[in-house]
Amino acid sequence: MNTVVKAYPEMHYRKGSIADLQQLLRLGIEAWSGFEKDMAAADWQRLSGSIHSEQTYRELLSVSECLVCVTGEGRIVGMVFLVPQGNPTDLYPSDWSYIRFLTVSPDFGGRGIGRKLTEDCIAWARRNGETVVALHTSEMMSNARRLYEHLGFSIVREIEQRLGKRYWLYKLEL
């Protein structure tokens, strides 16, 4: 009997840039569309509008360090944005850096890409004198929550529901 061995393409990690905008947009749509089935129609419409907007990615690129995972063929299959301190929001104080939009292609899940991108964010934050890396995530993302907790992030508090789902604020002291 012949056994099929699935070959994984060569992958490398690098800084993302505005030149990657279209691939970041496609990856966001590809990966996040899987959550549509878990959401009420109105909530999905709001999230989908953000995911499908180039402006979402442009804004993130303008204020953050973007890290990507790229196959040997040049396809971006993972991305994350690390926003440095000095960019406060309703969730994040001005002296915290925070991770946004960790995304891995469904075709490449389970290969450690999300872990590597998160570890690279932590390393970048340490090199640049950050004292806290934070993030927020939801009940829809149980794998991500386990990853963050395994990497040392702890829950600060449950935050108000967003998109009809429970969310938590996490932080890692550096």
Side-chain angles (χ1 to χ4, degrees), residues 96 132-137 145-158 168-173:
W96 287 11
V132 171
V133 176
L135 57 91
H136 67 281
T137 192
R145 289 176 41 220
R146 280 192 297 275
L147 167 66
Y148 300 139
E149 290 169 9
H150 182 77
L151 292 175
F153 286 84
S154 58
I155 294 175
V156 174
R157 69 178 187 278
E158 186 168 347
W168 295 269
L169 177 65
Y170 282 77
K171 82 174 188 178
L172 175 68
E173 301 268 352

Side-chain angles (χ1 to χ4, degrees), residues 11 26 28 46 77 87 108 118 124 127 147 149 151 172:
M11 293 193 252
R26 279 193 299 274
R46 272 192 356 192
V77 296
N87 294 282
F108 289 80
T118 304
W124 185 93
R127 279 193 312 274
L147 167 66
E149 290 169 9
L151 292 175
L172 175 68

Side-chain angles (χ1 to χ4, degrees), residues 21-22 25 49-59:
L21 181 63
Q22 290 307 309
L25 177 65
S50 178
I51 292 165
H52 283 79
S53 172
E54 279 189 11
Q55 190 60 29
T56 297
Y57 306 88
R58 287 182 186 279
E59 287 175 7

Side-chain angles (χ1 to χ4, degrees), residues 24 30 47 78 105 111 137 157:
L24 298 175
E30 171 193 17
L47 179 59
S105 167
R111 299 184 194 177
T137 192
R157 69 178 187 278

